[in-house]
Amino acid sequence: AGNVRTDHIADVYRHSEIFGKLHDPTEFRGRCGYCEYHAICGGSRARAFAATGDALEEDPFCTYQPHTNQSQLSAREHPHDHHSCGAAAAVCETCCLKAL
């Protein structure tokens, strides 16, 4: 992520690739990646990291089973679908939510 001894901690937090992905629920994998609540819940990234070595994997202690699975998602709901505005479908507030 960075080195707080040589870089400002705020810069590491704001510009590191992993911190960016941790704040973007469309980057989550497993059940958390296709769960209909991933934009508001996100699961525990710490538990995912402890169990798998990858903070973006699903939360292993989450008992919720998403109502959809990855193969059932429509193009609009797919967590990796990006819109023309450049934002991810799950987090787009620029144009997509205004259209609703």
Side-chain angles (χ1 to χ4, degrees):
N3 184 341
V4 296
R5 292 180 182 212
T6 59
D7 303 318
H8 292 283
I9 193 166
D11 289 335
V12 172
Y13 181 76
R14 289 181 188 138
H15 304 294
S16 125
E17 182 180 358
I18 188 61
F19 283 122
K21 288 181 176 183
L22 288 170
H23 288 111
D24 182 359
T26 66
E27 293 288 338
F28 299 163
R29 295 189 272 281
R31 286 179 297 137
C32 291
Y34 59 81
C35 178
E36 60 270 27
Y37 298 112
H38 74 255
I40 55 174
C41 170
S44 172
R45 302 298 92 216
R47 287 191 302 242
F49 183 77
T52 68
D54 184 349
L56 299 174
E57 277 296 335
E58 68 183 47
D59 179 349
F61 294 117
C62 178
T63 59
Y64 182 72
Q65 292 298 318
H67 290 244
T68 58
N69 65 41
Q70 205 162 15
S71 64
Q72 293 174 319
L73 293 174
S74 72
R76 177 165 166 73
E77 295 168 322
H78 194 278
H80 295 287
D81 180 40
H82 289 75
H83 292 268
S84 59
C85 67
V91 294
C92 179
E93 296 178 355
T94 306
C95 63
C96 303
L97 288 181
K98 290 179 184 175
L100 296 177

